[in-house]
């Protein structure tokens, strides 16, 4: 990896042990030539692994004997351009050393918003080209002053080759622009803090883009932000100074605290405590929180805390809490540019806290689900992008363009796959444009010239249209990959699996080669081949896509299938209830789908938990939360097994759904559904695993964000002697599709 | 309606029916062809086969639709439609009374549009080999020399005008066909637009393109234009006229009015400095009194068609390959 201070670390360690030699980046990684006594060399090897810098990761360490060169000392050899197959490193939250300097009145960077070192600061977001050198970043316009240059050139300094190194003399600076677009004189920080204190909304430039910020404890400010952003209920993320400051609003434990404090500083979803301020996460049992990750965030909180002296305040609980929501207009890409911010966020923000260090690559905040112990990733963005994954085998350079929602793209070279950050949902033109731009940026950054393109089977995704045009323009082959095949392949790629597996994809919707809508599939996957062993029972989607945002429509479809269509109007006080009954009778605009996601929707609505999604997966998350509450108090409901299997071994859910439709106790029903489904799915998979003589099972698809399901099913399958794999490096939802597509295209090309 | 040997007499009966209803000098000459001279200008020709179920619907029937469809296709070039041909394919057993109704309706529609149905043909196919009644019409018209309207002439900066509400025809047909009942009956907007077009091109001959957004709706039309003129399109949801009952029905049915068929609306692309003048002309005309400027053409190498929503967000108006397949994963 570049720019993580690994070579200076090697240099310092070698000097400490009195070794001579060289360290250099090479095509295969870092190459060290070290000469000294056998015991010193052994110690050197041990310490390399034990003491490696925080941002580096040693994948493998290989040692072999070499002829002595009798060098006079140890040196860092400059990297040659073109040598580098190592990707850029992710952006990192400000480190403890820098943080203490920031609030040390004697330090030359006291209260300087752009303090950083080799262990922290911007990386991926400021890189224009590789290799990662200052002149190839958006810091190129700032010339190092002599003090900064001395640090930059000294291998023993924490800022040796820290490309964004800067100080108040030579580096970027803040500015403030009023809501009207007028630049303001005076201290930018003071202006921003005053607005926040007055309940106004300030757009603040962060690492990967802008945030819209307001006082989370001021309900009027929060309501104003909701109204201006046209975002009536979707929860806002909240920033507090430290974990202690957040415990008043969410429930933390050791693992959550550690996750919050990691270098990627994600938004962590946590169970909410009693004192969650009004309007932050209305009607929800959880809230997303994060810690400050730029020096500027700390400076804002410092002012809001009354500018305490010293650094003790950093470790104490502090009252100020900030809403930090992404700086964009509903659905548009996050704003990264000063000028764009002022034009696009006008009418939302009352002021703009800007600076002149440009953001070259947009990165949304990463989101992690802290509601479960495994803390799975929901969105990969700032701090985690770009992700490099070693594929089981090499293949031609491939561009994979992902699906429709939560789009990402993936580029491969040899056996490495580079997965982009979260790009966005392709129903938005800005996100579609972003897909095209990111392709251009990443191919040039990584020096990859795609030899093939791969997209989803669905013809109407913008990503599919983009792939067709890209293939045509570059005269390279285009492959189309089934959505759920890609979900399974994504996990296989990140876990390096090349043997045949069973894949259970529990997901929303994806088009099958039969032009039917799939979404609850049991597949056999081997290389580029797959076969569909079975699927969940099909359910009508009255109104097509509209059923995805209105779970009651799936519930109506369940009732209709159970012969209880007459109950629809009475059960759902929805204006469309009568029409939906007629549509189900006629089969009009009621595509059939084996989607697992819509099944969870249907159950949530049948139980009266949620009839309309206020945001994606709203119903499914509320259903899981209901089940959780029951399970924690009473354990699994005692009930006969209610799932039947057809002659061909397919699961049938009618008896279970009858029971769900009849219960008066939503929490019991939610727990029952989870328990029964886990039992049913595991019996199904185990039976097929015996028939197919395959003992590895891959779990993929967005439904596995549901931790009761993921953990329950994993345990049951493991008890039956099955090896279970699920997503770990990428989210299990559609953000992982591009990697799966690339993996399949690789396998195809080997044919 | 009989097929086979008894069919001959029947075909004669039908010919008489047409002769009576469409009565004009060309038909009365009883030739296998019509011979006519056209006024000066370029000749425009269009053909369309009309297949619709149900055959009779609020606001029209297959007869009037078969005239409106072709008249409008001719008129979208800026032309004055003059003559039509009509070809019928009837299923054995099709009620004569229904045929009479359809033919009467065609005759009325042709008269309203100022066109003569000058030649025709009828075939009867075996029971089960047709769906009651299919009608093909071909139209001929004449366009003034100074008018040049075409799908590839649209320029960045052009304003986009829509003559009236979206989705009426599609929703009317679907709800009748599927037995879906709504509070108010929705009628098809099927009508000929020749007179509206004449007023528009007389007042603003600089119009670059006109289209009637039929199958695939406004979304398909805008995407076609974006492709053939190599431009982007931005429309504003707040400016797009949709009847409240159509909007409610679409919401219930899970349909997007942008993708629903129209049979009596047109969309025009004209230079920005002429847009207000054109809008005034359209609004003064009875077939355009709900006309609106709904968006503009942009320079966009990606050729996106996008819509600014009433909430200020933007969304893609994608080109949908076939029927609307759900996409939300
Ligand atoms: Fe998916
Ligand atoms: Mg036509
Ligand atoms: Zn640092
Ligand atoms: Zn400096």
């Amino acid at each position: 990896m570049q720019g993580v201070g690994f070579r200076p670390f090697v240099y310092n360690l070698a000097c400490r042990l009195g070794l001579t030699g060289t360290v250099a980046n090479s095509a295969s990684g870092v190459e060290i030539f070290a000469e000294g006594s056998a015991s010193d060399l052994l110690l050197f090897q041990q310490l390399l692994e034990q003491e490696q810098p925080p941002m580096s990761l040693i994948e493998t360490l290989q040692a072999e004997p070499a002829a002595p060169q009798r060098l006079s000392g140890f040196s860092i050899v400059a990297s040659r351009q073109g040598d580098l197959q190592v990707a850029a490193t992710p952006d990192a939250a400000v480190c403890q050393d820098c943080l203490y300097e920031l609030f040390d009145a004697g330090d030359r960077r006291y209260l300087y918003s752009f303090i950083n070192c080799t262990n922290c600061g911007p990386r991926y977001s400021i890189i224009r080209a590789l290799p990662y050198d200052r002149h190839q970043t958006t810091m190129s316009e700032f010339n190092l002053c002599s003090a900064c240059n001395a640090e930059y050139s000294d291998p023993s300094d924490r800022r040796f080759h820290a490309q964004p190194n800067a100080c108040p003399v030579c580096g970027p600076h803040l500015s403030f622009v009023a809501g009207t677009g007028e630049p303001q004189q005076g201290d930018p920080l003071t202006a921003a803090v005053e607005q926040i204190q007055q309940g106004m909304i300030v757009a603040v430039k962060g690492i990967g883009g802008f945030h819209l910020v307001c006082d989370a404890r001021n309900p009027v400010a929060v309501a104003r932000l909701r109204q201006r952003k046209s975002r009536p209920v979707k929860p806002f993320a909240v920033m507090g100074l430290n974990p202690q400051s957040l415990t008043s609003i969410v429930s933390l434990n050791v693992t959550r605290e550690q996750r919050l404090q990691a270098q990627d500083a994600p938004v962590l979803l946590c169970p909410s405590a009693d004192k969650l301020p009004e309007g932050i996460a209305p009607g929800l049992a959880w809230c997303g929180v994060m810690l400050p990750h730029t020096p500027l965030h700390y400076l804002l909180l410092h002012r809001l805390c009354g500018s305490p002296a010293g650094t003790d305040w950093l470790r104490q609980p502090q009252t100020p809490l900030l809403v930090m929501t992404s700086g964009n207009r509903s659905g548009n890409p996050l704003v990264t540019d000063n000028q764009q911010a002022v034009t696009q966020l006008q009418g939302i923000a009352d002021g703009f806290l800007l600076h002149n260090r440009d953001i070259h690559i947009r990165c949304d905040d990463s989101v992690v689900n802290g509601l479960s112990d495994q803390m799975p990733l929901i969105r990969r963005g700032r701090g985690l992008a770009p992700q490099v994954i070693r594929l089981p085998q090499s293949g031609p350079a491939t561009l994979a363009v992902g699906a429709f929602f939560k789009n990402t793209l993936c580029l491969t070279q040899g056996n490495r796959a580079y997965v982009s950050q979260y790009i966005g949902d392709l129903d938005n033109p800005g996100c579609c444009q972003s897909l095209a731009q990111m392709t251009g940026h990443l191919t040039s950054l990584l020096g990859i010239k795609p030899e093939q393109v791969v997209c989803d089977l669905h013809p109407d995704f913008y990503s599919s249209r983009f792939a067709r045009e890209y293939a045509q323009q570059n005269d390279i082959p285009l492959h189309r990959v089934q959505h759920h095949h890609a979900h399974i392949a994504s996990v296989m790629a990140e876990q390096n699996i090349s043997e045949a597996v069973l894949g259970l994809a529990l997901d929303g919707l994806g088009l099958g080669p039969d032009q039917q809508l799939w979404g609850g599939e049991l597949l056999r996957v081997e290389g580029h081949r797959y076969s569909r062993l079975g699927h969940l029972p099909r359910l009508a989607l009255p109104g097509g896509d509209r059923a995805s945002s209105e779970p009651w429509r799936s519930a109506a479809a369940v009732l209709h299938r159970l012969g209880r269509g007459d109950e629809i109007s009475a059960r759902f006080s929805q204006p469309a209830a009568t029409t939906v009954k007629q549509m189900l009778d006629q089969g009009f605009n009621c595509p059939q789908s084996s989607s697992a996601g819509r099944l969870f929707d249907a159950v949530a609505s049948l139980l009266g938990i949620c009839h309309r999604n206020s945001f994606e997966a709203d119903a499914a998350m509320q259903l899981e939360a209901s089940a959780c509450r029951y399970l924690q108090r009473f354990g699994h409901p005692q009930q006969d097994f209610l799932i039947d299997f057809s002659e061909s071994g397919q699961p049938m859910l009618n008896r279970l759904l009858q029971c769900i439709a009849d219960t008066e106790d939503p929490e019991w029903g939610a727990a029952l559904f989870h328990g029964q489904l886990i039992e049913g799915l595991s019996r199904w998979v185990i039976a097929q695993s015996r028939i197919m003589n395959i003992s590895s099972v891959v779990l993929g698809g967005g439904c596995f964000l549901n931790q009761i399901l993921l953990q329950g099913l994993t345990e049951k399958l493991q008890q039956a002697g099955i090896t279970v794999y699920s997503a770990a490096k990428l989210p299990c939802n559609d953000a992982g599709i591009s990697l799966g597509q690339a993996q399949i295209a690789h396998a195809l090309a080997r044919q | 309606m009989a097929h086979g040997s008894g069919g001959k007499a029947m075909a004669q009966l039908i010919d008489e029916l047409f002769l009576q209803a469409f009565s004009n000098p060309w038909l009365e000459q009883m030739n296998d062809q019509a011979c006519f001279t056209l006024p000066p200008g370029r000749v425009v020709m269009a053909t369309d086969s009309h297949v619709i179920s149900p055959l009779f619907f609020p606001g029209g029937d297959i007869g009037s639709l078969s005239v409106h469809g072709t008249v409008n296709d001719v008129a979208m070039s800026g032309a004055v439609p003059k003559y039509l041909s009509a070809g019928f394919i009837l299923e054995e057993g099709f009620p004569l009374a229904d045929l009479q109704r359809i033919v009467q309706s065609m005759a009325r529609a042709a008269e309203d549009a100022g066109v003569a149905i000058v030649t025709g043909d009828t075939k009867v196919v075996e029971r089960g080999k047709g769906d009651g009644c299919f009608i093909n019409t071909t139209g001929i018209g004449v366009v003034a020399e100074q008018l040049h309207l075409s799908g590839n002439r649209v320029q960045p900066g052009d304003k986009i005008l829509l003559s009236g509400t979206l989705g009426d025809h599609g929703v009317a047909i679907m709800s009748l066909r599927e037995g879906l009942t709504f509070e108010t009956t929705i009628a098809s907007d099927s009508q000929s637009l020749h007179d509206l077009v004449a007023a528009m091109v007389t007042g603003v001959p600089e119009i670059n393109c006109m289209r009637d957004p039929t199958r695939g709706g406004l979304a398909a039309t805008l995407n076609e234009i974006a492709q053939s003129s190599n431009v982007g399109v931005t429309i504003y949801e707040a400016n797009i006229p949709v009847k409240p009952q159509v909007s409610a029905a679409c919401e219930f049915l899970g349909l997007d009015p942008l993708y629903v068929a129209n049979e009596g609306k047109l969309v025009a692309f004209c230079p920005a400095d002429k847009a207000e003048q054109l809008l005034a002309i359209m609004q003064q005309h009875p077939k355009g009194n709900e006309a609106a400027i709904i968006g503009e053409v942009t320079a966009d190498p990606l050729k996106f068609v996008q819509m600014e929503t009433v909430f200020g967000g933007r969304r893609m108006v994608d080109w949908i390959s076939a029927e609307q397949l759900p996409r939300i994963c």
Side-chain angles (χ1 to χ4, degrees), chain A residues 427 460 465 545 553 582 589, chain B residues 181 252-253 316 321 327:
Chain A
D427 56 353
D460 298 337
R465 172 180 156 189
D545 273 340
R553 288 179 183 251
Q582 289 177 344
N589 201 16
Chain B
T181 47
F252 287 9
L253 299 172
M316 289 288 277
S321 51
R327 288 186 294 181

Side-chain angles (χ1 to χ4, degrees), chain A residues 25-328:
Chain A
N25 281 328
S26 80
S28 49
V30 174
E31 246 176 50
I32 304 167
F33 175 84
E35 198 171 328
S37 73
S39 61
D40 284 347
L41 285 173
L42 195 65
L43 184 62
F44 178 65
Q45 197 175 331
Q46 280 169 2
L47 292 177
L48 271 180
E49 288 199 271
Q50 280 171 21
E51 294 184 357
Q52 58 173 302
M55 285 176 69
S56 68
L57 171 77
I58 299 180
E59 282 182 11
T60 54
L61 185 62
Q62 286 172 7
E64 47 190 71
Q69 292 180 7
R70 314 249 177 256
L71 299 171
S72 60
F74 201 92
S75 59
I76 297 172
V77 178
S79 40
R80 272 173 296 131
Q81 199 157 352
D83 254 2
L84 298 157
Q85 284 193 9
V86 270
T89 39
D91 304 299
V94 57
C95 73
Q96 289 300 304
D97 291 337
C98 286
L99 191 54
Y100 285 103
E101 287 173 359
L102 179 64
F103 293 107
D104 173 0
D107 194 274
R108 69 189 190 92
R109 293 189 181 84
Y110 178 53
L111 304 184
Y112 179 56
S113 321
F114 304 92
I115 186 169
N116 67 82
C117 71
T118 29
N119 299 325
C120 73
R123 292 282 187 285
Y124 181 58
S125 60
I126 59 166
I127 294 176
R128 290 203 184 99
L130 285 177
Y132 177 52
D133 274 326
R134 188 178 178 99
H135 72 275
Q136 311 244 51
T137 71
T138 61
M139 286 297 290
S140 60
E141 61 193 272
F142 303 99
N143 291 320
L144 289 164
C145 69
S146 58
C148 285
N149 193 44
E151 295 165 338
Y152 184 85
S153 319
D154 176 3
S156 67
D157 195 280
R158 202 171 91 243
R159 296 194 167 89
F160 175 71
H161 282 192
Q163 307 301 350
N165 190 26
C167 77
V169 175
C170 67
H173 56 267
L174 296 175
S175 59
F176 189 85
V177 169
T180 54
E182 293 287 305
Q184 300 276 96
Q185 298 307 311
D187 179 36
L189 206 53
T190 306
V193 167
E194 273 173 7
Q195 286 204 334
I196 291 169
Q197 284 169 332
Q198 288 162 11
M200 298 205 260
I201 295 150
V202 182
V204 177
K205 194 172 182 180
I207 288 280
F210 277 80
H211 283 110
L212 288 162
V213 180
C214 75
D215 180 357
R217 294 195 186 275
N218 181 342
V220 179
V222 174
R224 183 175 293 140
L225 181 55
R226 287 204 175 282
Q227 192 253 325
R228 290 191 192 165
K229 251 202 124 182
S230 306
R231 180 162 152 158
V233 289
K234 196 176 171 191
F236 283 140
V238 173
M239 178 181 281
L241 178 70
N242 47 30
Q244 304 88 292
S245 307
L246 289 169
T247 48
S248 64
I249 62 162
V250 290
S251 135
L252 295 179
N253 55 26
V254 179
T255 40
R256 286 188 198 124
E257 285 188 20
Q258 280 173 349
R259 192 67 194 83
L260 278 171
Q261 290 170 310
Q263 282 184 322
D264 50 4
V267 172
L268 186 69
L269 310 186
C270 296
S272 43
D274 304 333
K275 289 182 207 132
L276 190 65
E278 193 185 320
I280 298 292
L284 287 178
W286 53 268
C287 171
V289 293
M290 71 173 146
L291 298 182
H293 49 271
T294 69
L296 181 56
H297 296 150
Y298 278 101
L299 293 174
L300 278 171
L301 287 163
H302 181 238
R303 291 289 186 92
L304 290 165
C305 290
S307 302
T311 54
D312 287 348
W313 68 282
L314 288 167
R315 287 181 300 271
Q316 291 155 1
Q318 304 289 351
T319 325
L321 292 176
L322 295 172
V323 166
M324 299 290 284
T325 191
S326 47
N328 56 3

Side-chain angles (χ1 to χ4, degrees), chain B residues 47-48 50 69-70 73 212 214 263:
Chain B
T47 190
D48 212 337
H50 297 85
T70 297
D73 281 351
D212 57 338
T214 52
E263 287 294 347

